[in-house]
């Protein structure tokens, strides 16, 4: 059973930093995604990284502040979050797709099969 597990959430003041980590039971997917969900809102894509190429993409709201990276040897994915803002508050989820060939999408909820339980990030002003 593939079960992503996130860690690293917490509470910080605006302008602070946090680093989230995610491991998936030794499973090595072709891409990893980070999503977040604030209370009363829909889950939104934050960033993704392709395992083989290291190619990354970010939502406009986090571009230049967040950095996604991966360690293929472990395998794990990280999300370094800098200059955090109150609007970044929410539950952050790590997700991976089922085994598939290279080139699949990695930014829609429907692209992913396995989801973590989430880790809470709270940013106060």
């Amino acid at each position: 059973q593939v079960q992503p597990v996130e860690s690293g959430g917490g509470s910080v003041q605006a302008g602070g930093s946090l680093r989230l980590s995610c491991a998936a039971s030794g499973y090595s997917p072709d891409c990893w995604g980070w999503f977040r969900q604030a209370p009363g809102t829909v889950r939104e894509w934050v960033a993704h990284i392709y395992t083989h190429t290291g190619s990354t993409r970010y939502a406009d709201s986090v571009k230049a502040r967040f950095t996604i990276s991966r360690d293929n040897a472990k395998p794990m994915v990280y999300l370094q979050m800098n200059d955090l803002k109150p609007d970044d508050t929410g539950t952050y989820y790590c997700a991976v797709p089922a085994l598939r060939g290279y080139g699949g999408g990695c930014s829609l909820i429907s692209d992913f099969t396995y989801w973590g339980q989430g880790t809470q990030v709270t940013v106060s002003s």
Side-chain angles (χ1 to χ4, degrees):
Q1 178 70 19
V2 178
Q3 179 59 62
V5 178
E6 306 94 342
S7 61
S11 297
V12 296
Q13 291 191 322
S17 298
L18 286 172
R19 188 189 192 217
L20 306 184
S21 301
C22 177
S25 312
Y27 178 67
S28 185
D30 72 291
C31 76
W32 301 78
W34 283 102
F35 290 75
R36 68 185 181 187
Q37 187 169 16
T41 69
V42 298
R43 191 171 297 189
E44 64 173 355
W45 165 77
V46 173
H48 70 244
I49 185 167
Y50 282 93
T51 304
H52 183 63
T53 63
S55 174
T56 61
R57 280 192 66 191
Y58 300 90
D60 288 344
S61 58
V62 306
K63 205 171 291 183
R65 300 188 297 121
F66 290 13
T67 302
I68 188 171
S69 60
R70 90 287 192 211
D71 183 335
N72 290 346
K74 291 190 176 180
M76 291 186 67
V77 69
Y78 308 95
L79 187 68
Q80 177 66 44
M81 306 186 295
N82 297 329
D83 190 23
L84 282 160
K85 305 178 186 301
D87 284 349
D88 296 318
T89 294
T91 302
Y92 282 68
Y93 298 92
C94 170
V96 294
L99 280 177
R100 61 183 187 180
Y102 291 121
C106 204
S107 58
L108 300 177
I109 289 177
S110 59
D111 290 328
F112 297 90
T113 303
Y114 306 107
W115 293 80
Q117 295 298 308
T119 185
Q120 179 66 34
V121 171
T122 302
V123 184
S124 57
S125 56

